[in-house]
């Protein structure tokens, strides 16, 4: 009876921990909404807010019906590529998973679509959001999650057949979540083309500022808060004691993971602040916000398996990756209002490589083998662990880019050919709020400043203009 009671208490504590982490990750949806809303012009604020709500709602249904099964549906006929059971949560709870695990993974899934939405903001038909969000969260993302996070996945570090004897370590999803969302957004934005007026007739970039820096900063802090569920929560359990110790367990690693997350994001933010100061000549709060987020994205892969000092290195490099990719994007006339592809894609890719260079063997054993002594695993190249782990990280990077490209690229291309992807020039100039949603996000929406276009104030005005054109 005592053993049963101890087991029940342990399970209860771990369940509370995982559910609380899921709630924190879900708060990130609010962070994405605020960040996106502040980063676009006022005439598109309602549209971007609505797409964030739709990403969560549509993603909930698609992940419930198909996504969770494709990601974690291991069974008697399981395979390394795709899950085969638990459709619509049939047979859940099981001996492996419970409802709380589904909820946690669902919060990750809907975050992916939010990343993609930012890349194609201010010029995309609302129906396109519904289509790609359902497909991305229900099929594309879950397949990658199965590869890396399912015990039968071909890239999984928990698989019985480890790639290069290591498996790819992507603890909380620099590749699985952020790179997937970024590559999808990259294809969408590239196929749509830049926003009207983003580049002049000579190909030079014309700044299009977001309308509310306050919302951007608020969104950044909400995302920072949610990342404490995103990264430390990926242990999924906290009450796991490590053998041969009296005071260490998953709770120790959870705390360290929160520290590495904070240090990477903070370092990237500071480096971006000073780096952009050198390039543009002033201190820019919005650049710092993106720098902080870039650091978080990069550390997400190795957050549980690196020392705090390594997290500082991760954030330092992530800042320059983001700054460099933004320069390249302007040279290529690539337009991403949220810098999502550069931030989540570039920093996510760096995060995977960083883990292959700096992962510590002891921490890998703690994260994937509950600290059992005597287990030998490949670890970071720069710490003397050889090339196996780094090779697995590179394979994951290439596999994610390839998979998302061959699935989301054709989808966006088909939507474009069917004229379901981009809005008309008139609608874009007027703003999506008035042309697609019947009114502005703000009750007392002022005429735009001299730097922006003036437009109709009410939906009836917009319709009248269309009738007269």
């Amino acid at each position: 009876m005592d053993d049963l009671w101890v087991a029940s208490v342990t399970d209860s504590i771990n369940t509370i921990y995982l559910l609380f982490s899921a709630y924190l990750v879900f708060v990130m949806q609010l962070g994405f909404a605020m960040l996106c809303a502040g980063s676009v012009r006022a005439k598109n604020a309602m549209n971007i807010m609505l797409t964030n709500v739709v990403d969560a709602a549509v993603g909930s249904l698609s992940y419930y019906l198909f996504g969770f099964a494709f990601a974690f549906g291991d069974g008697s006929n399981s395979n390394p590529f795709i899950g085969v059971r638990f459709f619509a949560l049939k047979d859940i709870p099981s001996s492996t998973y419970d409802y709380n695990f589904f909820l946690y993974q669902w919060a990750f899934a809907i975050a992916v679509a939010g990343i993609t939405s930012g890349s194609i903001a201010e010029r995309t038909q609302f129906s396109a959001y519904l289509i790609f969000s359902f497909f991305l969260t229900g099929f594309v993302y879950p397949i990658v999650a199965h590869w890396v996070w399912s015990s039968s996945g071909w890239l999984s570090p928990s698989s019985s057949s480890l790639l290069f004897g290591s498996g790819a370590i992507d603890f909380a999803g620099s590749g699985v979540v952020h790179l997937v969302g970024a590559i999808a957004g990259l294809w969408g934005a590239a196929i749509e083309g830049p926003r009207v007026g983003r580049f002049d007739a000579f190909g030079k970039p014309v700044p299009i500022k977001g309308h509310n820096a306050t919302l951007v900063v608020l969104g950044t802090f909400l995302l920072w808060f949610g990342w404490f569920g995103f990264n430390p929560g990926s242990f999924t359990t906290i009450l796991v004691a490590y053998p041969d110790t009296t005071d260490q367990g998953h709770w120790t690693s959870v705390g360290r993971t929160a520290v590495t997350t904070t240090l990477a994001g903070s370092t990237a933010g500071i480096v971006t602040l000073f780096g952009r100061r050198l390039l543009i000549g002033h201190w820019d709060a919005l650049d710092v916000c993106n720098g902080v987020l870039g650091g978080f994205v990069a550390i997400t892969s190795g957050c549980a398996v690196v020392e705090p000092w390594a997290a500082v290195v991760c954030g330092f490099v992530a800042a320059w990756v983001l700054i460099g990719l933004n320069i390249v994007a302007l040279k290529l006339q690539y337009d991403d209002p949220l810098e999502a592809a550069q931030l989540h894609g570039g920093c996510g890719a760096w995060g995977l490589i960083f883990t292959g260079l700096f992962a510590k063997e002891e921490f890998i054993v703690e994260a994937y083998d509950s600290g059992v002594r005597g287990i030998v695993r490949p670890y970071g190249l720069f710490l003397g662990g050889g090339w196996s782990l780094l090779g697995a990280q590179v394979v994951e990077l290439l596999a994610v880019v390839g998979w998302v490209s061959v699935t989301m690229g054709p989808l966006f291309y088909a939507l474009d050919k069917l004229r379901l992807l981009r809005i008309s020039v008139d609608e874009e100039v007027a703003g999506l709020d008035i042309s697609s949603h019947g009114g502005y996000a703000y009750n007392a929406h002022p005429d735009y400043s001299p730097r922006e276009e003036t437009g109709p104030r009410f939906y009836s005005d917009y319709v009248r203009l269309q009738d007269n054109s």
Side-chain angles (χ1 to χ4, degrees):
M1 186 65 179
D2 289 341
D3 290 341
L4 290 175
W5 175 253
V6 170
S8 296
V9 171
T10 300
D11 290 343
S12 298
I13 292 174
N14 286 332
T15 295
I16 292 171
Y17 174 72
L18 186 58
L19 285 175
F20 181 72
S21 297
Y23 305 151
L24 284 177
V25 177
F26 183 68
V27 167
M28 296 178 77
Q29 291 299 121
L30 179 57
F32 279 127
M34 295 299 99
L35 181 73
C36 292
S39 299
V40 301
R41 289 165 289 184
K43 62 183 180 180
N44 296 311
M46 181 182 291
N47 170 262
I48 199 67
M49 295 288 281
L50 180 58
T51 59
N52 275 270
V53 176
V54 166
D55 285 339
V58 171
S60 297
L61 294 176
S62 62
Y63 197 70
Y64 160 72
L65 293 172
F66 316 110
F68 185 78
F70 289 149
F72 297 101
D74 295 328
S76 58
N77 56 344
S78 61
N79 64 82
F81 180 75
I82 188 171
V84 293
R85 58 185 296 227
F86 301 142
F87 292 98
L89 295 188
K90 186 179 183 298
D91 298 326
I92 294 289
S94 70
S95 59
T96 310
Y97 303 120
D98 205 339
Y99 290 115
N100 49 54
F101 184 78
F102 165 80
L103 192 74
Y104 185 70
Q105 295 299 332
W106 157 80
F108 274 63
I110 60 176
V112 178
I115 295 168
T116 305
S117 296
S119 293
I120 58 177
E122 296 202 293
R123 60 204 189 275
T124 304
Q125 293 189 42
F126 185 69
S127 57
Y129 284 107
L130 299 175
I131 295 169
F132 91 75
S133 182
F134 189 89
F135 185 62
L136 184 61
T137 56
F139 180 68
V140 178
Y141 160 77
I143 298 299
V144 179
H146 182 82
W147 295 350
V148 181
W149 290 340
S150 169
S151 59
S152 61
W154 66 279
L155 285 168
S156 173
S158 302
S159 171
S160 58
S161 179
L162 295 173
L163 178 68
F164 303 147
S166 168
I169 294 179
D170 192 1
F171 188 74
S174 289
V176 176
V177 176
H178 296 283
L179 189 58
V180 167
I183 299 301
L186 176 67
W187 280 104
I191 290 172
E192 279 192 305
R195 289 167 291 174
V196 172
R198 183 64 178 93
F199 298 94
D200 64 19
F202 301 98
K204 295 182 178 180
V206 178
I208 299 180
K209 294 289 187 179
H211 82 283
N212 195 321
T214 303
L215 290 179
V216 174
V217 174
L218 174 61
T220 300
F221 275 114
L222 286 169
L223 288 168
W224 192 330
F225 181 59
W227 236 292
F228 289 131
F230 205 91
N231 286 4
S234 290
F235 277 93
T236 69
T237 56
I238 191 170
L239 200 56
V240 177
Y242 296 150
D244 302 326
T245 64
T246 58
D247 59 352
Q248 292 188 35
H250 268 2
W251 56 86
T252 312
S253 298
V254 164
R256 185 183 64 247
T257 300
V259 169
T260 58
T261 300
T262 300
L263 290 176
S266 299
T267 302
I270 292 298
V271 174
T272 304
L273 173 67
F274 284 92
R276 290 290 293 170
R277 173 69 172 80
L278 293 174
L279 292 173
I280 63 178
H282 62 265
W283 311 101
D284 194 316
L286 305 188
D287 286 334
V288 175
C289 289
N290 273 352
V292 168
L293 297 178
F296 289 152
V297 168
I299 196 62
T300 293
S301 170
C303 55
V305 297
V306 298
E307 294 273 14
W309 64 264
V312 174
V313 176
C314 177
F316 180 87
V317 176
W320 291 111
V321 168
L322 178 60
I323 291 171
L325 287 178
N326 281 333
I327 294 173
V328 172
L330 292 179
K331 294 290 185 182
L332 297 177
Q333 297 187 32
Y334 172 78
D335 183 23
D336 185 329
L338 273 295
E339 300 178 5
Q342 302 93 296
L343 195 160
H344 296 275
C347 295
W350 158 240
L352 291 176
I353 301 301
F354 160 79
T355 304
L357 299 175
F358 290 95
K360 185 175 180 179
E361 184 178 22
E362 176 188 350
F363 295 165
I364 296 175
V365 173
E366 289 178 358
Y368 293 100
D369 301 292
S370 299
V372 175
R373 305 307 181 199
I375 293 179
V376 177
R377 277 183 175 267
Y379 53 101
L381 175 65
F382 286 174
L383 301 184
W387 292 88
S388 296
L389 177 57
L390 180 60
Q393 301 300 103
V394 172
V395 170
E396 181 192 342
L397 195 164
L398 297 176
V400 169
V401 172
W403 168 249
V404 179
S405 295
V406 300
T407 51
M408 295 302 296
L411 175 64
F412 280 120
Y413 182 79
L415 290 173
D416 184 58
K417 288 302 180 181
L418 294 172
R419 298 184 179 181
L420 295 174
L421 185 58
R422 182 156 185 165
I423 58 176
S424 68
V425 173
D426 288 342
E427 290 175 310
E428 185 175 344
V429 171
L432 279 160
D433 288 1
I434 196 69
S435 63
S436 299
H437 306 295
Y440 295 111
Y442 306 101
N443 288 332
H445 182 79
D447 287 333
Y448 300 110
S449 67
R451 292 179 61 84
E452 295 191 74
E453 308 93 341
T454 58
R457 293 178 60 84
F458 303 101
Y459 183 67
S460 57
D461 298 333
Y462 172 75
V463 173
R464 192 178 302 112
L465 287 174
Q466 295 300 301
D467 291 340
N468 294 333
S469 62

